[in-house]
Amino acid sequence: MGFVLMFHSIVRWLIVIVGVFALGKFLAGWVRKSEFTKMDRGLSAGFSGLMDLQVLLGFVFFIWSGLAGGGFPMYRIEHMTIMLVAAVLGHLPTFMKKAENKFAIGLYAVIGALLLVVVGVARLPGGWTR
C-alpha cells in the first residue's frame, strides 16, 4: 500500500506542474484572443486526466488503509471531499465546450482546482512536506 501512497504523492506534483503550465497557456490565449486549439484541449484534458488518476489513487488508498486499521479520521474525509470538488472543477472546461471564451473558463477552472488542491493537501498532517 506504500506504493500507492508514494505514487499518489508524486502525481500531485505532476498536477501542479501541468496546472501551472495550463495557467500560463490559458492566460496568454485569453489576453491574445487566440483560437482554442487542439493543444489547448489536450492540455485541459491532460490536467483533468491527472486529477482523475489522483482521485482514483486517493480513493484506493483511502478505502484500503482505512479498512486495514488506519480508520477514517476527519482530516482524511475532508481531504477526499475537497479533492473530489477540485477534480470536478478540473473537468469544467470539458463541460463547457460551446462557451464563447474557453480560455477564461479553462483559466478559472485550473485556478479553482489548484487552490482547492493547496487547501486539501494542507488539511493533511504534514501537509506539503509529506
Side-chain angles (χ1 to χ4, degrees):
M1 191 50 24
F3 172 75
V4 173
L5 180 60
M6 181 185 72
F7 194 49
H8 184 68
S9 295
I10 291 170
V11 170
R12 76 174 160 178
W13 293 111
L14 293 175
I15 288 171
V16 169
I17 291 167
V18 172
V20 167
F21 184 72
L23 288 176
K25 182 77 172 84
F26 292 161
L27 181 61
W30 188 14
V31 169
R32 294 179 184 151
K33 297 183 183 352
S34 302
E35 184 179 328
F36 201 77
T37 65
K38 198 172 192 177
M39 180 186 163
D40 301 317
R41 283 189 297 278
L43 185 57
S44 180
F47 181 75
S48 62
L50 282 171
M51 294 291 286
D52 290 343
L53 174 62
Q54 188 72 331
V55 166
L56 176 65
L57 291 169
F59 190 68
V60 166
F61 181 74
F62 178 80
I63 296 298
W64 194 323
S65 65
L67 295 176
F72 301 99
M74 186 54 82
Y75 69 86
R76 291 181 72 201
I77 294 169
E78 290 171 355
H79 173 74
M80 182 182 66
T81 304
I82 292 168
M83 294 310 193
L84 284 172
V85 175
V88 169
L89 270 178
H91 281 278
L92 193 60
T94 306
F95 299 140
M96 315 224 32
K97 287 181 184 175
K98 296 184 183 196
E100 190 173 314
N101 193 341
K102 293 180 180 102
F103 284 114
I105 290 170
L107 180 68
Y108 291 136
V110 172
I111 288 171
L114 288 177
L115 286 174
L116 286 173
V117 166
V118 168
V119 170
V121 173
R123 288 297 307 138
L124 296 172
W128 284 91
T129 60
R130 286 177 68 163

